[in-house]
Amino acid sequence: MRSALLHVAAPFALCVALANTSLFAEVEVDLSYEHYAEKRVDHLPAFLAMPCNCLVNLAYICMGLYWLLYRGVKETEQGRYVREVFAFMAVFYGHVQWTRLAVLRRAPAVLDQWFTLPIFAWVPVWILFIERGPAKWCASHAAALELLSVLSYGLALAHERGFEAALGCHVASAVYMGVRAQLAHGDGRTRGYLLLAVLSCAGFVALKLLDHWLARYRLFQRLTGHFWSKVCDVLQFHFSFCFLTSLTQRAQGRQD
């Protein structure tokens, strides 16, 4: 667990340092409450200014801690490592999003976008571990993929829609690798987990984009589209864990 924490915290600290420089001064990010359909509650402190959108970040943290402490059947040391890295990413990401809402500053907004990319990139990393097995899996290859993912945020500097392009490639890669792994190693249960993860991802994107449009309806005026998009994001995370851990156990059982 200490190795996983170090390997998440060290790059995260570097990204935090870079985000607080002028390097990303031209990146397109939203820095006002008007970006969100949920109304600000003025008498609450900043970290609860939009209560629902703020508190939903606890779900990322709790879900990450659950999978961090999860104990799988026949889990190898490397398998535990890839799971713990993903879990720490969820915990860190919850704090980043909450900080963004609390302070509405450029650095947390940049980190909110930036950190999304290596999270999605860890899905192909985990699947490569499943496909190659503990004996052939190399941590340096995982580090290289994550580094490429982190560097891909440079597209946000090149074009105002560069982040969306990078994120789209990451999502497509994760889905493709997931389907490939399912066809090679999965069963009915893992197919269900994969389908739920993909549907949650679609819900996350759609509800976030429709945040203000949905707010015309009473049902979405307090628990807004953005709030439900975060719920879908947490479910996407959770079902990805379910899919990948189940697939890891199946592949490990075949190798034994």
Side-chain angles (χ1 to χ4, degrees), residues 45-249:
F47 69 92
L48 289 175
M50 290 188 294
C52 297
N53 277 311
C54 289
L55 290 173
V56 74
N57 292 297
L58 285 172
Y60 288 91
I61 298 168
C62 293
M63 182 270 302
L65 291 174
Y66 169 81
W67 284 105
L68 185 65
L69 301 175
Y70 172 83
R71 292 293 175 261
V73 179
K74 294 184 178 179
E75 193 174 40
T76 64
E77 183 178 348
Q78 296 98 320
R80 184 167 58 252
Y81 169 80
V82 295
R83 172 178 54 78
E84 289 173 348
V85 166
F86 205 36
F88 275 123
M89 285 179 170
V91 173
F92 277 54
Y93 190 53
H95 286 87
V96 167
Q97 291 190 107
W98 203 335
T99 303
R100 177 180 185 175
L101 291 177
V103 301
L104 290 179
R105 295 165 110 182
R106 175 168 292 276
V110 166
L111 288 169
D112 184 9
Q113 291 185 347
W114 198 357
F115 205 41
T116 305
L117 302 179
I119 290 173
F120 271 102
W122 197 253
V123 174
V125 168
W126 195 336
I127 290 173
L128 288 175
F129 168 77
I130 293 169
E131 293 176 340
R132 295 175 180 176
K136 295 182 180 179
W137 185 72
C138 183
S140 62
H141 293 164
L145 283 173
E146 285 293 291
L147 178 60
L148 286 174
S149 174
V150 169
L151 292 176
S152 71
Y153 190 62
L155 290 174
L157 297 172
H159 191 275
E160 64 178 7
R161 295 300 174 198
F163 166 70
E164 286 81 356
L167 180 58
C169 291
H170 279 71
V171 172
S173 175
V175 172
Y176 166 74
M177 293 288 287
V179 171
R180 189 178 80 175
Q182 169 62 29
L183 294 174
H185 305 284
D187 61 6
R189 184 176 63 163
T190 57
R191 182 171 60 250
Y193 288 146
L194 178 60
L195 178 60
L196 288 169
V198 172
L199 288 175
S200 297
C201 181
F204 162 66
V205 174
L207 288 165
K208 189 172 184 179
L209 292 175
L210 296 173
D211 188 26
H212 282 281
W213 183 83
L214 289 170
R216 297 184 302 174
Y217 302 96
R218 190 181 192 124
L219 182 64
F220 293 97
Q221 288 177 355
R222 174 53 65 185
L223 300 179
T224 61
H226 192 273
F227 168 83
W228 289 114
S229 79
K230 294 303 179 185
V231 172
C232 286
D233 196 22
V234 173
L235 291 174
Q236 174 187 200
F237 241 129
H238 175 69
F239 289 125
S240 295
F241 269 111
C242 293
F243 172 70
L244 293 167
T245 52
S246 297
L247 216 58
T248 302
Q249 290 170 7

Side-chain angles (χ1 to χ4, degrees), residues 14-63:
L14 178 60
C15 290
V16 170
L18 291 173
N20 281 281
T21 68
S22 60
L23 179 62
F24 300 104
E26 302 302 319
V27 171
E28 187 71 22
V29 290
D30 296 294
L31 301 175
S32 70
Y33 286 115
E34 286 69 31
H35 172 65
Y36 306 93
E38 184 179 1
K39 302 301 182 184
R40 179 179 179 178
V41 181
D42 292 329
H43 65 271
L44 290 177
F47 69 92
L48 289 175
M50 290 188 294
C52 297
N53 277 311
C54 289
L55 290 173
V56 74
N57 292 297
L58 285 172
Y60 288 91
I61 298 168
C62 293
M63 182 270 302

